[in-house]
Amino acid sequence: MQRNATTQYPILLIHGLFGFERIGHFELFHAVKEALQAVGCRVFVPHLSATHDNEVRGEQLLLQIDRVLRGTGSNKVNLIGHSQGALAARYAAALAPHTVASVTSVSGPNHGSELADVLRQALIPGELPEKVAQNVVTLFADFLSVLSGSVAMPQNALAALGALTTQGAARFNQQYPQGLPESWGGQGPDCVNGVRYYSWSGTLPDHSQPSLDPVEHICRKLSKYFKKDAGQNDGFVGRFSSHLGIVIRSDYPFDHLSILRGVSPARAVSPNPIELYVEHARRLQAVNL
């Protein structure tokens, strides 16, 4: 593990849709937080609504940024958002850039998710063949069955789903375009209003043998509903939809959740996803953030 990656500003790790404390045998952000703290970073995990739109979650984040600033004496924070957490981070940076040093999107649906489009259509009678709708909803329910933990915050699942569709993301992007690339699949500006923007994401790894990981198995099933990013997605988010600011890389061999997890000796991958966060702390440290 790399040493001496202390950042000037505290790091906030922001969860996405259905944020939770534990999934299966591991805790969300646990390995990431421990790795960052081990190299000297001050790390906080704000609690946001598990299901709500980007604006509501963004307002909750702004309040917690203020608490962190008061508690640490710092005048800015570094925001690292996974999945929908990236959009909450973008909202906070757009409204209060003087409090945000950087926004990093990890597998963020910055242009929406084709899966969210399918799920939203599945809730409208007659919009999809019954069998397709049933398969999608069942797979999504299977995925949620491995999640546990909740926070006493306002919830609105339909608002969350609408915000993650490509149409919902397009509306959000019209109001908060900071860091977005001008062309599909390109890179965005590295700095807007004094805030630096970064992103990285993954695509489903190519395995000749079926995975024993139930989460990856479900992600592979869900990936079949992508059209524009067919074969270029992590099961929840398309590769090019994730681009924001400086794109570090968007095809790491990770599904949507393994990008948060350490690897086991039985199934080592390179790079280790947790090391990416430490590398990023050094990246932020190098530009005095």
Side-chain angles (χ1 to χ4, degrees):
M1 184 66 70
Q2 301 180 66
R3 302 285 178 184
N4 303 320
T6 307
T7 56
Q8 179 178 350
Y9 304 113
I11 293 174
L12 273 63
L13 301 173
I14 307 154
H15 69 73
L17 180 66
F18 290 99
F20 47 85
E21 294 298 328
R22 183 180 295 274
I23 175 172
H25 62 278
F26 71 95
E27 297 176 13
L28 184 69
F29 286 134
H30 175 74
V32 176
K33 184 177 180 180
E34 278 199 338
L36 290 173
Q37 289 176 330
V39 294
C41 297
R42 293 171 292 173
V43 186
F44 300 86
V45 181
H47 296 297
L48 310 184
S49 292
T51 59
H52 224 303
D53 62 35
N54 304 319
E55 290 84 356
V56 167
R57 300 180 81 247
E59 287 292 333
Q60 295 168 354
L61 178 58
L62 283 170
L63 292 174
Q64 295 187 58
I65 288 173
D66 286 342
R67 295 191 188 106
V68 169
L69 295 181
R70 291 197 302 269
T72 62
S74 182
N75 61 346
K76 290 186 178 182
V77 293
N78 291 303
L79 303 177
I80 300 179
H82 173 253
S83 195
Q84 192 188 9
L87 282 78
R90 288 175 49 199
Y91 177 90
L95 268 65
H98 59 288
T99 67
V100 179
S102 69
V103 168
T104 302
S105 167
V106 179
S107 300
N110 293 303
H111 294 274
S113 168
E114 292 181 75
L115 178 63
D117 292 344
V118 174
L119 290 169
R120 190 65 187 89
Q121 287 178 319
L123 300 177
I124 303 174
E127 285 294 319
L128 283 174
E130 183 177 356
K131 185 176 180 180
V132 175
Q134 182 177 349
N135 285 343
V136 174
V137 173
T138 300
L139 287 167
F140 191 62
D142 288 344
F143 178 79
L144 296 183
S145 70
V146 301
L147 305 185
S148 63
S150 62
V151 179
M153 302 285 277
Q155 311 295 335
N156 189 326
L158 282 179
L161 184 56
L164 295 173
T165 62
T166 54
Q167 186 177 32
R171 289 193 295 267
F172 180 81
N173 290 342
Q174 286 181 344
Q175 292 185 274
Y176 313 107
Q178 292 86 347
L180 291 173
E182 293 185 1
S183 59
W184 183 253
Q187 300 210 33
D190 61 348
C191 188
V192 182
N193 296 331
V195 181
R196 289 183 177 267
Y197 289 85
Y198 304 89
S199 63
W200 75 79
S201 60
T203 58
L204 287 168
D206 182 18
H207 291 310
S208 57
Q209 298 296 326
S211 172
L212 299 178
D213 182 344
V215 174
E216 183 180 324
H217 178 72
I218 294 170
C219 286
R220 287 190 181 281
K221 293 289 188 180
L222 293 173
S223 72
K224 297 177 182 178
Y225 295 99
F226 283 76
K227 303 300 181 184
K228 189 173 184 179
D229 279 325
Q232 294 286 310
N233 64 80
D234 63 8
F236 279 70
V237 176
R239 173 184 179 182
F240 299 117
S241 179
S242 72
H243 285 199
L244 183 77
I246 297 174
V247 180
I248 297 164
R249 181 176 167 183
S250 59
D251 64 345
Y252 284 114
F254 309 135
D255 65 51
H256 193 64
L257 286 178
S258 68
I259 206 160
L260 293 174
R261 293 186 281 173
V263 296
S264 66
R267 190 175 182 186
V269 296
S270 181
N272 183 318
I274 301 306
E275 292 176 359
L276 299 180
Y277 296 86
V278 176
E279 291 174 7
H280 191 54
R282 292 179 64 84
R283 187 178 292 113
L284 296 174
Q285 179 191 59
V287 290
N288 299 314
L289 300 183

